Amino acid sequence: MTRKKVKLAFISNDSSRKATFKKRRKGLLKKVNELSTLCGINACAIIYSPYDSNPEVWPSNAGVQRIVSEFKTLPEMDQHKKMVDQETFLRQRIAKAYEHLKRQKKDNRELEMTEVMFQCLIGNMGMFKSEPELWSEPTTVVYGDGEPSSTIELCR
């Protein structure tokens, strides 16, 4: 039996919110334990709760203190090496999407030019008849980087 998708919104009913918190806290601690065991890494979790006066820690208070002090002894550069805030994350995603778009535009342009040349080779000029002035001189093909890469004499 599949689970239904949970709507991520604040749970207004206090008893339901508390029950959900306890279930999810247990699941989160289980995941941290599995990650630590399966990957052989040092991991810890500190969970503050509005329902308890003391935070819940995993694996133990001493274990958490050891891991945190280990982290603090790392050089500043190593501490922040893979950390990103939301803004940096979004900037990286936008840059990646932009590069993907540039590649797609270049690939599409190459496919279009291949199709034009193929149509010229088989003598199907019907698609080009509407604008004959475009075909009277050689056309420079320009790819995404802005540099003319070649000049191609298109069919007349």
Side-chain angles (χ1 to χ4, degrees):
M1 186 166 126
T2 60
R3 295 182 185 189
K4 64 180 181 177
K5 185 170 175 121
V6 176
K7 180 182 172 192
L8 289 179
F10 182 75
I11 301 170
S12 56
N13 184 327
D14 288 339
S15 60
S16 295
R17 186 171 56 247
K18 187 173 183 178
T20 300
F21 172 78
K22 288 186 177 208
K23 285 183 208 172
R24 291 194 174 235
R25 176 180 58 193
K26 183 179 174 187
L28 180 62
L29 293 175
K30 182 179 176 186
K31 289 288 182 188
V32 172
N33 182 22
E34 290 172 357
L35 179 67
S36 177
T37 303
L38 293 173
C39 299
I41 61 165
N42 290 328
C44 67
I46 304 170
I47 302 173
Y48 287 93
S49 164
Y51 310 110
D52 298 324
S53 58
N54 294 328
E56 179 150 358
V57 294
W58 183 91
S60 64
N61 283 342
V64 169
Q65 288 176 350
R66 181 183 52 79
I67 292 171
V68 170
S69 66
E70 222 174 87
F71 177 74
K72 286 184 176 181
T73 59
L74 290 173
E76 188 80 20
M77 190 66 166
D78 288 343
Q79 285 183 19
H80 299 291
K81 190 183 334 183
K82 301 235 175 176
M83 286 188 190
V84 293
D85 59 1
Q86 189 171 10
E87 181 181 354
T88 306
F89 174 75
L90 290 174
R91 286 185 190 279
Q92 289 172 351
R93 291 292 303 262
I94 289 169
K96 190 175 179 180
Y98 181 73
E99 288 301 316
H100 180 70
L101 178 64
K102 274 178 50 175
R103 269 194 315 276
Q104 286 298 113
K105 283 183 176 181
K106 180 183 177 226
D107 292 347
N108 287 345
R109 180 71 178 152
E110 287 176 3
L111 287 171
E112 287 173 358
M113 291 307 298
T114 302
E115 180 65 22
V116 166
M117 288 188 268
F118 179 72
Q119 292 297 325
C120 287
L121 284 174
I122 63 171
N124 184 5
M125 293 302 297
M127 65 188 327
F128 308 117
K129 296 283 188 210
S130 62
E131 300 179 45
E133 66 276 358
L134 293 177
W135 309 110
S136 60
E137 299 203 13
T139 300
T140 303
V141 178
V142 179
Y143 292 106
D145 58 2
E147 295 295 321
S149 59
S150 62
T151 302
I152 300 172
E153 177 79 36
L154 295 176
C155 306
R156 293 182 195 188

